[in-house]
Amino acid sequence: MITASDRGTQFAEALHGAQGEIAWFDSWDDIWDFAASLSDDTPVVSPAAHQFLQRGDLPDADDPLRSIADRPVGVTVAALGIAETGSLLLIERAPIDRAVSLLTRHLVIAVGQDDLLDELADGFRWLAQQPRAAAYATFVTGPSRTADIERSLTIGVQGPSRLTAAVLT
Amino acid sequence: MIADFRERYERAVNDPDLQPRLLAFQRSWRESRDAQVSRLEQRTERSFDDLRHDFAAVKDGTLERIDDYIAEFRANAEAAGAIVVELTTADEAVEYIAGVCAARGIDLVVKSKSMVSEEIELNHELAQGGITAIETDLGEWLLQLAEQRPSHLVMPAIHQKRQYVAEILGQELGRDFDPDDIPAMVASARQGLRRHYLAAGAGLTGANALVAETGSIMVVTNEGNMRLATSLPDVHFVTAGIEKLIPTWSDAERQLQLLPRSATAQTLSTYTTCITGAQPGKEMHIILLDNGRRSMRDDDTIASALRCIRCGACANVCPSYQVVGGHTFGHIYTGAIGLVNTTFHHGIEDAAGPQGLCVSCGACETVCPVAIPLPNQILSIRRRATESGHVPHWERWLLRAWATPTLFRTAIKLGAVASSIARATNLLRRDHFRLPLPTRLRWRSIPAIPSRSGSQLIRSRQPQPAVAASPATGSEIDLFTQCLAEHLLPSAVDSAARLIEAGGATVHLPPEQHCCGLPAFDAGDWDAARRMARATIDALGRSDRRIVTPATSCVISMKEHWPQLFRDDPQSRRRANDVAERVYDLADWLDGPGRLPDGCLNTSDQHAWAAHRFCQSSNRDDPGARIDLLVERLTGETPLPLKEAEVCCGFGGLTSIAAPEVGKGILDRKLDCVAASGCETLITNNPGCALHLRAGAAAQGASHETLHYADFLAARLPWSS
Ligand code: SF4
């Protein structure tokens, strides 16, 4: 039987392997404080994260991507995490849901400790039962990267260059 | 337009940076991919082979009922608001996309990586109609700026040097880049591409999978560009081949176990995106393209190539790809799979050029995550290329001459006369001619033809007494001497006979043996191959004794190629099987029916030796490939470790003649490993490879000697002088 804490450890290891970071928090307030401490700029938050945090800048509804492009810190929420791969599943139906995870520099993704599943297969089982979620769902595994120039791994290309999983215990 | 094959070949072999870069890539990929695969095996408690065959079965099952799955996919995707169109040809696909763009007034399309869009040469075609397509994957963008094509399925710009990248980025963005500052060049893509995303009317992506049960597409990327291209513009085009269909999400997950690990050696790519239907207020057009795929499916030999998930692994282990790169080894699709599917997407003419570059080592099949029998498919395409006249004349003539024993023997006799003159006049060095060869051939020497053939050596001596009892004691054995070994490596033939005799068996030499047909089969000339095979079957069919040969490749040929050659001729097939069933590779013999006891050739010496395992049998996992284990068991001498012991030596039948630079490139890689091993003697188990390795070592002046392992073992027989 895999316990919740084993799963957390496995998740952390896998995420580190994908150049992501992890931090543990007791409350949404702590997550906000953490995000706010990362830069002088106010964090931008996705509509989903805003429901919990009740603060931070929201993307502009008319032009969501342009409005927050390249802002230093963004916060969003994952539906679940996968211990096997260190992935976080983002359900982002509309561009406004996606803006923060697409274009901020340091992305903080909150996930409930109880929402960590063992394997990617569990994640896909979940997805198969949520037709609405599958409208636009992304397993994000670490910050964006490329090795297209002479195979040299470079972190941070067109998406975030840092990614922190904020696990809510 | 893609340049002519010969031109691409010349360009590749004259690029001094290409080989070292691809070698470093292949080696580091191999290491990380193997680590990933072994972790996967541990985690799932299943072997890679089981996992890949499971998923291959999913793909095969889907392809068998492709129209049902297309219908299911269509119904679900349309219910989710997507428009699904099935198109037959590349032109139709281009027209459709151009038509939608025209109707919407779109003149700029941002693209995430899509091999199908390369396949249909979409960018070029759209440009004709005034629509600009901008690649947003960094590698693809760099290629677009340089007006080049991908040279790898996953690492499209693997052939570009960073100095070159700095130059083209500088031109595009109007500022200087330091070639050593790769992060700065990468960062420039973020800004350089942003304006295109913002201005584009449509985004175009491929799909790694089309999930029928929900009508969804799944795309894996690392940079984040695909999500941008599908978020900013109002229209989303998906271009995908019909073979991308899979039934369920659980199948998608199985695909993901194999794809990123095989492609970039990642557990999972950074973004695995699943999209179902059009997003609110936007359009989604899913183009399901045939373009030759149904003909592939209806072709028994080729159908399984449709399992391909475009991971690029087959290029990453291909020794020829390492020498010439993907612009030469392939057409638009590169690597082993490109040698197969080009025929169906672009025609035999475009597929024919690189066929001769494949050395048939079989490495690609060992790593393919969907277990496609690529080597056999390449041989089949090669036959089609030959039959449709796409093969150089000299090759045809050479094979015809080879297939005619009288001509072959006359040539050998002339060679032997020339060799003895050269020997008498001191024109030989290390048994190779000191001839001024043209530069491109100077990496190897031409071997002198020994004065006596293998059969003559055997007949000129008394049978040798047994060293030990073996299961074959008292039995009678036919020796298949093999055309090359018989005349160019006769000592190996004699040594093989001695080793059989050492187990107490009697050796017979069936008359009129020549060639099993392998060189012609490999070259795609099945008529010539059949003639040679028939003659060999006649020669070996006169007795019912077991047959042993020192030529590993010929055993594979008899057991695997003969049934294909005589597929439509039951009588010949029966006779061929009767012979093939009795044939043993010498190493298998000495470990099996003619097993010599452990340590029976122990001379208490310890030589510095290493073993190059014949790649083809290694890659098929034939036990007989492990000659180092056999030699160690019999002699008690431990081999020196040889890096890449199972990677091809570059002989590859006609490849080293038709494409000498490829033969040299692969040989250099091998000889570097041999030198690094510190061995004094290199042993190997296939006569062609032994000759190739020896000729290369002679030309380089390398200090080690190269032996067929039979010679190494026979030298340790108590009565050998
Ligand atoms: S043929 Fe196999 S190894 Fe090659 S790209 Fe396709 S799936 Fe990968």
Side-chain angles (χ1 to χ4, degrees):
Chain A
M1 194 53 206
I2 299 174
T3 65
S5 89
D6 284 350
R7 212 174 279 143
T9 316
Q10 232 191 70
F11 176 76
E13 270 172 26
L15 183 55
H16 284 145
Q19 287 78 27
E21 299 157 40
I22 187 164
W24 309 80
F25 300 96
D26 289 333
S27 70
W28 284 100
D29 286 341
D30 293 348
I31 293 180
W32 174 261
D33 291 345
F34 168 75
S37 74
L38 295 171
S39 150
D40 293 340
D41 188 48
T42 311
V44 281
V45 298
S46 69
H50 196 264
Q51 281 182 14
F52 299 102
L53 293 168
Q54 295 294 332
R55 65 200 121 170
D57 295 348
L58 276 165
D60 186 284
D62 291 333
D63 197 355
L65 287 124
R66 219 182 300 227
S67 70
I68 59 101
D70 303 323
R71 289 281 290 269
V73 181
V75 185
T76 190
V77 189
L80 47 90
I82 308 291
E84 175 195 359
T85 54
S87 314
L88 293 155
L89 178 61
L90 302 182
I91 306 297
E92 307 170 313
R93 196 173 166 77
I96 190 164
D97 302 319
R98 245 167 277 152
V100 168
S101 69
L102 280 170
L103 283 175
T104 54
R105 297 282 186 174
H106 185 162
L107 178 63
V108 178
I109 305 180
V111 64
Q113 185 171 28
D114 295 342
D115 296 325
L116 295 184
L117 308 182
D118 287 337
E119 298 184 345
L120 191 58
D122 301 323
F124 274 101
R125 255 191 295 278
W126 184 90
L127 202 58
Q129 290 155 9
Q130 313 275 332
R132 277 186 60 79
Y136 202 115
T138 306
F139 289 96
V140 177
T141 313
S144 78
R145 70 202 55 214
T146 182
D148 273 347
I149 304 180
E150 288 204 358
R151 296 186 305 116
S152 157
L153 179 65
T154 309
I155 301 296
V157 200
Q158 315 200 24
S161 48
R162 277 182 76 184
L163 181 140
T164 305
V167 183
L168 200 59
T169 53
Chain B
M1 273 300 287
I2 301 185
D4 160 73
F5 170 73
R6 228 38 249 183
E7 196 183 322
R8 277 147 48 209
Y9 179 83
E10 292 301 328
R11 210 182 297 151
V13 298
N14 288 313
D15 176 350
D17 297 308
L18 192 62
Q19 287 187 39
R21 182 132 23 86
L22 293 177
L23 181 58
F25 163 60
Q26 287 197 340
R27 286 184 170 154
S28 76
W29 177 85
R30 181 87 227 197
E31 208 182 305
S32 351
R33 175 268 179 196
D34 287 354
Q36 280 289 5
V37 166
S38 76
R39 276 202 293 275
L40 176 69
E41 289 179 320
Q42 272 168 23
R43 189 180 170 89
T44 55
E45 295 178 2
R46 318 250 348 255
S47 69
F48 175 66
D49 219 38
D50 286 346
L51 291 167
R52 66 179 182 154
H53 278 105
D54 279 1
F55 185 63
V58 170
K59 295 291 284 185
D60 290 351
T62 317
L63 287 161
E64 263 163 40
R65 295 181 35 218
I66 191 72
D67 292 314
D68 295 345
Y69 285 108
I70 291 178
E72 185 184 350
F73 177 84
R74 174 196 284 281
N76 290 321
E78 286 178 349
I83 297 162
V84 179
V85 283
E86 265 187 87
L87 299 172
T88 310
T89 64
D91 287 346
E92 286 172 20
V94 173
E95 269 166 36
Y96 180 84
I97 294 168
V100 173
C101 288
R104 310 284 183 283
I106 295 168
D107 57 8
L108 179 65
V109 179
V110 276
K111 288 178 65 197
S112 165
K113 190 166 185 296
S114 152
M115 275 313 297
V116 167
S117 78
E118 299 284 346
E119 174 187 323
I120 62 177
E121 306 195 55
L122 181 67
N123 296 7
H124 176 77
E125 298 297 328
L126 286 182
Q128 310 290 313
I131 302 168
T132 308
I134 300 282
E135 299 287 348
T136 64
D137 169 87
L138 175 60
E140 293 275 349
W141 186 50
L142 294 172
L143 293 175
Q144 188 174 34
L145 295 179
E147 294 178 23
Q148 294 177 341
R149 286 165 189 280
S151 70
H152 189 275
L153 289 171
V154 176
M155 311 281 281
I158 182 100
H159 59 281
Q160 287 184 344
K161 279 196 293 191
R162 60 185 194 286
Q163 287 81 357
Y164 182 69
V165 173
E167 202 180 301
I168 52 176
L169 279 178
Q171 276 164 21
E172 169 71 10
L173 301 174
R175 59 190 168 97
D176 286 343
F177 286 93
D178 173 1
D180 293 325
D181 190 354
I182 290 178
M185 293 196 270
V186 169
S188 75
R190 194 178 176 104
Q191 296 317 326
L193 288 167
R194 183 71 51 83
R195 62 192 162 97
H196 300 306
Y197 287 119
L198 294 171
L204 184 142
T205 72
N208 294 92
L210 304 165
V211 184
E213 69 171 339
T214 51
S216 314
I217 67 160
M218 179 177 81
V219 188
V220 295
T221 58
N222 273 312
E223 295 180 12
N225 58 315
M226 179 269 176
R227 294 187 352 118
L228 282 164
T230 53
S231 294
L232 285 148
D234 284 336
V235 176
H236 176 190
F237 291 110
V238 181
T239 46
I242 53 172
E243 83 285 8
K244 289 287 174 286
L245 273 154
I246 48 171
T248 66
W249 283 109
S250 128
D251 300 321
E253 191 271 332
R254 289 201 223 185
Q255 179 170 343
L256 287 176
Q257 287 190 349
L258 297 163
L259 175 59
R261 288 176 171 95
S262 304
T264 44
Q266 285 171 283
T267 313
L268 198 59
S269 306
T270 306
Y271 301 104
T272 302
T273 303
C274 312
I275 304 180
T276 313
Q279 303 167 52
K282 300 198 178 203
E283 284 176 36
M284 183 189 210
H285 299 256
I286 304 174
I287 293 139
L288 302 180
L289 183 65
D290 184 315
N291 203 25
R293 286 164 174 83
R294 280 189 171 81
S295 329
M296 286 174 81
R297 192 193 60 161
D298 296 340
D299 185 316
D300 286 348
T301 313
I302 303 297
S304 61
L306 288 170
R307 296 173 190 160
C308 177
I309 53 174
R310 310 282 188 248
C311 70
C314 52
N316 302 353
V317 293
C318 173
S320 307
Y321 178 93
Q322 184 254 310
V323 177
V324 296
H327 284 157
T328 307
F329 200 92
H331 180 62
I332 289 178
Y333 288 102
T334 54
I337 188 67
L339 264 55
V340 176
N341 66 2
T342 299
T343 317
F344 297 86
H345 304 322
H346 302 106
I348 190 79
E349 207 156 326
D350 287 332
Q355 295 299 329
L357 300 181
C358 166
V359 285
S360 298
C361 71
C364 46
E365 187 174 351
T366 65
V367 294
C368 174
V370 283
I372 301 173
L374 293 155
N376 208 40
Q377 292 181 347
I378 293 172
L379 288 172
S380 166
I381 299 292
R382 222 181 250 185
R383 175 173 60 90
R384 299 170 204 207
T386 307
E387 285 171 0
S388 57
H390 291 93
V391 141
H393 290 301
W394 66 263
E395 215 172 84
R396 266 200 114 84
W397 287 114
L398 182 72
L399 288 168
R400 296 282 136 138
W402 197 296
T404 316
T406 42
L407 268 179
F408 181 82
R409 285 189 198 118
T410 312
I412 290 289
K413 270 189 199 131
L414 289 174
V417 171
S419 302
S420 44
I421 297 173
R423 214 168 276 123
T425 52
N426 204 18
L427 272 175
L428 292 184
R429 187 179 52 213
R430 290 171 73 171
D431 270 334
H432 289 74
F433 285 95
R434 294 183 359 190
L435 282 181
L437 288 173
T439 324
R440 58 195 295 244
L441 298 177
R442 224 168 266 166
W443 52 277
R444 82 172 137 209
S445 318
I446 307 257
I449 296 183
S451 48
R452 285 192 294 177
S453 71
S455 305
Q456 285 169 335
L457 287 178
I458 296 170
R459 289 206 188 92
S460 69
R461 62 168 174 82
Q462 290 300 312
Q464 307 282 319
V467 286
S470 84
T473 299
S475 53
E476 319 249 316
I477 303 302
D478 281 349
L479 186 70
F480 176 62
T481 59
Q482 199 228 22
C483 50
L484 267 186
E486 166 79 349
H487 299 287
L488 293 175
L489 204 61
S491 63
V493 174
D494 184 33
S495 294
R498 288 166 184 262
L499 291 163
I500 298 165
E501 290 168 352
T506 308
V507 171
H508 296 267
L509 287 166
E512 288 169 42
Q513 19 173 328
H514 175 45
C515 172
C516 66
L518 173 62
F521 184 87
D522 257 3
D525 189 343
W526 283 30
D527 285 342
R530 258 185 225 112
R531 269 206 283 150
M532 294 192 233
R534 277 211 183 90
T536 301
I537 293 163
D538 287 345
L540 298 177
R542 291 194 190 101
S543 87
D544 56 6
R545 293 190 275 261
R546 288 174 290 181
I547 305 157
V548 179
T549 179
T552 321
S553 58
C554 303
V555 178
I556 299 178
S557 177
M558 293 176 186
K559 292 187 190 288
E560 307 251 316
H561 302 164
W562 283 2
Q564 296 181 52
L565 284 175
F566 300 117
R567 197 169 32 204
D568 303 324
D569 174 356
Q571 201 192 337
S572 302
R573 198 174 59 227
R574 215 169 311 116
R575 294 187 60 225
N577 283 350
D578 168 60
V579 170
E581 273 170 12
R582 290 184 282 124
V583 170
Y584 293 85
D585 173 47
L586 177 68
D588 288 326
W589 178 260
L590 296 175
D591 257 339
R595 185 178 170 92
L596 292 178
D598 296 1
C600 70
L601 302 179
N602 191 329
T603 56
S604 332
D605 277 354
Q606 169 67 54
H607 258 74
W609 64 281
H612 161 64
R613 293 175 171 181
F614 176 48
C615 56
Q616 212 180 23
S617 15
S618 299
N619 287 324
R620 296 155 36 95
D621 224 4
D622 290 343
R626 298 172 211 139
I627 46 166
D628 42 335
L629 302 184
L630 170 71
V631 169
E632 188 173 10
R633 181 176 77 72
L634 296 180
T635 65
E637 296 181 43
T638 315
L640 292 166
L642 176 67
K643 218 167 88 174
E644 300 189 336
E646 298 176 345
V647 173
C648 179
C649 66
F651 171 58
L654 289 185
T655 304
S656 55
I657 304 172
E661 291 81 2
V662 171
K664 172 190 183 332
I666 304 177
L667 180 73
D668 284 351
R669 172 176 179 172
K670 177 61 60 183
L671 290 179
D672 282 351
C673 293
V674 172
S677 77
C679 72
E680 285 161 14
T681 304
L682 176 71
I683 64 165
T684 187
N685 47 340
N686 194 45
C689 308
L691 288 164
H692 181 73
L693 285 161
R694 191 184 272 181
Q700 283 198 359
S703 61
H704 68 271
E705 64 167 347
T706 310
L707 294 180
H708 190 278
Y709 70 99
D711 286 331
F712 188 83
L713 287 174
R716 282 147 180 80
L717 287 166
W719 50 77
S720 85
S721 47

